[in-house]
Amino acid sequence: MYTTRTCKIKIKRMNMKVVLVLLLFHYSYSQQGEGSNQRVVLIGSTVYPGHKDLDGCLHDLPPGIQVVGTQVLKCLTPITTPKTPGDSPGLPGGQSFVVRNEGEEAIFTCTTIGFGTNDTFGWTSPTGFLPLYMWRNNLAIIGTTSKRFSFTSTNKTVWTMTISDVRKHDAGVYSCTVGSNRVHEDSGFLKRSYNLSVQYKVGITGILPNSYPHVIIGYERTLFFNETDDVELACLADGVPIPTTSWRRDNSNSQSLPSGEEVFIGRNLTITNISIHDEGLYICESKQPINKAKMNTTIVVQHKPLVRESEKLIREKKGSSVVLECQIDSDPLPFEAEWTYVKEDRKTVQTTKTNSRLYINNLDPGRDYRNYTCRVTNILGSNLCVIEITGRPAKPKIVSLPYSKKMRVYTLAWKYEEYDISQIKHFWINYTQEKLKGRPGFLDYKVPVVYNPEKPMEYNTTIYDLRANATYYVELFAYNRYGQGDIETFEFTTAAVDEPNSVSEPPPTKPLPRSYGGSGRLLQASMYTSLACFSIYLLLLK
């Protein structure tokens, strides 16, 4: 005879809160011999034989126990012996972990104890909704159409499920279950589980964001952002074992990430307040012990137009033809370029995707010497190009050596290749000792333009009464009818002692006074003017 009883145990916690833990103990008696019996306990889905004195053992458990499993298992014995025919079917309990590489074969085996004709056996998939395989009433029912799954049984005791060519989506918990009408109705199935882990090579399926407006059809590997956006790139890498993902920029340009790092370890790369300097190729790389993968994306930063003048200052004489060019980098296109002072027939504008040019014919100094502005605008903003046309003199080029062979004398020489030298009225020189640079105390004088047919465009003047072994700072510029030209700066050093073979400079006929700043500037003649005056004086004496 088989009898079944259910025992409910109330367990009180130490803080006197009552927690009701319901354990279902199913006691099944089988006649093994005259006067002998065995009690079997089912806890959850696992079957345990009990001690012969199971009632006494449970009775001796201390009141208020907190760890039920540990205490109750003291009264139970692990299954080590087959059950006799007629007992409830059983399975060794627990869960096993199985690791396979993708493409390998996975084999799962369950051994039942006391399986009867009317009992049911089945294999369930990780989803658990439908059985992959079921045996009932001597009939096998296969619930999967995949040819990679196969099922065998040996004497209705050893049940085997084989998965060939394991794939990553096969991972999960597979269970074999045994059902019987001889097991208590509250827990009619016994189960053993296998947790299948499938290792597969890392792969990168994409980089986020991957939708409009950051991705445009035809430019799937390019991401578009607006300047000052906060950007987050996500590398969609997948693999088992879990791969390590990193970001870097194109090594061929030796560029670091916007953070200053060479490599960033992590799936998501954040760029705050993105700028055009952050444009370029970004590489996501993912590695694991069995493989590695990478994917590239190009970042384009859209911005208001960047503009640059081909020449900021243009010097041309009357009647010339002039071209003013503003170079433009605009992303996105289109843009609009608008010039000032163009409402004349002799002025025309031509604009392409990369520049805008203003053409001026028959230059008129009275109307055309001015600043011209080109405003370039796209949907993100605008910028200005400013170009000046002028008739003021250009910067002279000093060609003398930066040291003197004399203690108190230095000859300053320069070249001036102006487009129309007749416009130059004179040159102006400012000089002082280097230690006084930037302070009041410059000595300054004009040098008249003296044409030398043997050396056109070359000029010089001699500076006297200098300090020995001293450094002087010089400013040199030209004047014409349109004003002061650009300043050329220069430094020279006087000798500590006169070199023996150096040619002495002719002294002036009398000391020449100099002014130290102020508006009343006195003039010193050039070397050529001094020699001419000296020659006339000698002729008069005759």
Side-chain angles (χ1 to χ4, degrees), residues 422-466:
S422 64
Q423 293 188 359
I424 302 300
K425 290 183 176 181
H426 57 263
F427 294 98
W428 199 283
I429 296 175
N430 297 329
Y431 70 95
T432 187
Q433 277 189 263
E434 172 64 20
K435 63 181 181 180
L436 298 177
K437 179 181 175 181
R439 306 179 189 176
F442 269 100
L443 294 107
D444 38 309
Y445 60 90
K446 285 195 300 186
V447 179
V449 176
V450 180
Y451 181 71
N452 183 352
E454 295 182 0
K455 295 182 178 181
M457 307 295 182
E458 294 187 14
Y459 307 88
N460 65 73
T461 189
T462 301
I463 305 173
Y464 298 94
D465 299 332
L466 301 174

Side-chain angles (χ1 to χ4, degrees), residues 265-478:
I265 304 299
R267 177 178 179 269
N268 296 348
L269 176 66
T270 300
I271 305 174
T272 303
N273 192 23
I274 196 168
S275 71
I276 58 173
H277 304 294
D278 301 325
E279 281 191 333
L281 185 68
Y282 286 73
I283 302 171
C284 162
E285 190 168 34
S286 199
K287 297 180 180 179
Q288 60 179 185
I290 60 176
N291 194 37
K292 65 179 181 179
K294 69 178 181 179
M295 182 175 286
N296 304 338
T297 188
T298 299
I299 288 183
V300 173
V301 179
Q302 300 179 127
H303 50 83
K304 63 183 181 180
L306 301 177
V307 297
R308 185 172 65 87
E309 304 86 353
S310 296
E311 295 180 87
K312 288 182 175 292
L313 184 64
I314 298 176
R315 291 181 172 86
E316 284 293 348
K317 60 184 179 181
K318 181 180 178 180
S320 301
S321 295
V322 184
V323 179
L324 287 70
E325 181 180 5
C326 180
Q327 297 176 354
I328 303 169
D329 175 9
S330 177
D331 192 350
L333 295 171
F335 62 83
E336 187 176 82
E338 183 179 5
W339 288 87
T340 57
Y341 308 111
V342 296
K343 295 181 179 179
E344 296 183 48
D345 292 341
R346 58 193 180 86
K347 297 179 180 180
T348 56
V349 175
Q350 291 183 357
T351 300
T352 68
K353 291 182 178 181
T354 58
N355 61 52
S356 182
R357 292 174 179 170
L358 170 61
Y359 296 86
I360 303 177
N361 296 320
N362 191 20
L363 187 70
D364 181 353
R367 291 186 296 172
D368 298 334
Y369 283 170
R370 63 172 70 245
N371 286 333
Y372 292 82
T373 299
C374 178
R375 179 182 293 276
V376 185
T377 305
N378 67 11
I379 61 173
L380 296 178
S382 63
N383 259 323
L384 298 178
C385 266
V386 180
I387 301 174
E388 181 185 3
I389 302 178
T390 184
R392 297 191 308 273
K395 183 187 297 186
K397 180 180 180 182
I398 296 176
V399 295
S400 53
L401 297 174
Y403 58 87
S404 174
K405 296 180 180 181
K406 308 292 290 182
M407 297 167 53
R408 302 177 60 81
V409 178
Y410 179 76
T411 299
L412 181 69
W414 67 92
K415 290 184 177 181
Y416 189 78
E417 299 176 357
E418 179 64 23
Y419 59 88
D420 187 359
I421 194 63
S422 64
Q423 293 188 359
I424 302 300
K425 290 183 176 181
H426 57 263
F427 294 98
W428 199 283
I429 296 175
N430 297 329
Y431 70 95
T432 187
Q433 277 189 263
E434 172 64 20
K435 63 181 181 180
L436 298 177
K437 179 181 175 181
R439 306 179 189 176
F442 269 100
L443 294 107
D444 38 309
Y445 60 90
K446 285 195 300 186
V447 179
V449 176
V450 180
Y451 181 71
N452 183 352
E454 295 182 0
K455 295 182 178 181
M457 307 295 182
E458 294 187 14
Y459 307 88
N460 65 73
T461 189
T462 301
I463 305 173
Y464 298 94
D465 299 332
L466 301 174
R467 295 179 183 272
N469 196 28
T471 300
Y472 284 84
Y473 178 78
V474 178
E475 293 180 347
L476 173 66
F477 50 92

Side-chain angles (χ1 to χ4, degrees), residues 51-122:
H51 294 298
K52 291 184 179 180
D53 189 17
L54 180 59
D55 287 334
C57 181
L58 294 175
H59 183 270
D60 293 336
L61 291 178
I65 60 174
Q66 291 183 307
V67 185
V68 177
T70 303
Q71 298 292 337
V72 171
L73 289 178
K74 292 180 179 179
C75 302
L76 305 175
T77 304
I79 288 182
T80 56
T81 57
K83 300 175 69 178
T84 59
D87 287 338
S88 299
L91 285 171
Q95 185 180 86
S96 299
F97 291 88
V98 179
V99 179
R100 292 291 184 271
N101 292 325
E102 194 171 27
E104 294 181 346
E105 183 179 74
I107 300 176
F108 309 93
T109 301
C110 279
T111 302
T112 58
I113 301 171
F115 188 81
T117 303
N118 296 322
D119 295 329
T120 301
F121 179 87

Side-chain angles (χ1 to χ4, degrees), residues 47-251:
V47 177
Y48 295 91
H51 294 298
K52 291 184 179 180
D53 189 17
L54 180 59
D55 287 334
C57 181
L58 294 175
H59 183 270
D60 293 336
L61 291 178
I65 60 174
Q66 291 183 307
V67 185
V68 177
T70 303
Q71 298 292 337
V72 171
L73 289 178
K74 292 180 179 179
C75 302
L76 305 175
T77 304
I79 288 182
T80 56
T81 57
K83 300 175 69 178
T84 59
D87 287 338
S88 299
L91 285 171
Q95 185 180 86
S96 299
F97 291 88
V98 179
V99 179
R100 292 291 184 271
N101 292 325
E102 194 171 27
E104 294 181 346
E105 183 179 74
I107 300 176
F108 309 93
T109 301
C110 279
T111 302
T112 58
I113 301 171
F115 188 81
T117 303
N118 296 322
D119 295 329
T120 301
F121 179 87
W123 287 101
T124 58
S125 66
T127 60
F129 295 117
L130 293 173
L132 297 168
Y133 171 88
M134 179 180 291
W135 176 273
R136 187 172 185 178
N137 296 328
N138 290 324
L139 178 65
I141 302 173
I142 298 178
T144 177
T145 58
S146 175
K147 295 182 179 180
R148 297 186 299 109
F149 287 75
S150 61
F151 308 91
T152 60
S153 172
T154 303
N155 298 326
K156 308 301 180 290
T157 301
V158 179
W159 308 80
T160 302
M161 177 177 67
T162 302
I163 307 176
S164 59
D165 188 20
V166 169
R167 300 172 186 175
K168 61 182 180 180
H169 60 260
D170 293 332
V173 178
Y174 293 84
S175 300
C176 59
T177 59
V178 176
S180 173
N181 56 8
R182 292 167 290 145
V183 180
H184 191 274
E185 64 272 17
D186 292 336
S187 184
F189 287 88
L190 304 180
K191 180 171 67 175
R192 179 189 174 102
S193 300
Y194 291 89
N195 192 338
L196 174 62
S197 175
V198 180
Q199 293 190 149
Y200 54 93
K201 295 179 179 180
V202 62
I204 300 176
T205 58
I207 293 176
L208 297 178
N210 59 1
S211 60
Y212 181 83
H214 304 297
V215 175
I216 300 175
I217 295 176
Y219 298 89
E220 284 74 13
R221 285 296 184 91
T222 302
L223 298 177
F224 295 85
F225 300 97
N226 291 340
E227 195 171 25
T228 74
D229 281 352
D230 291 336
V231 174
E232 184 174 61
L233 304 180
C235 185
L236 304 181
D238 181 38
V240 176
I242 297 175
T244 299
T245 303
S246 62
W247 285 94
R248 60 180 173 85
R249 296 188 74 173
D250 183 12
N251 288 335

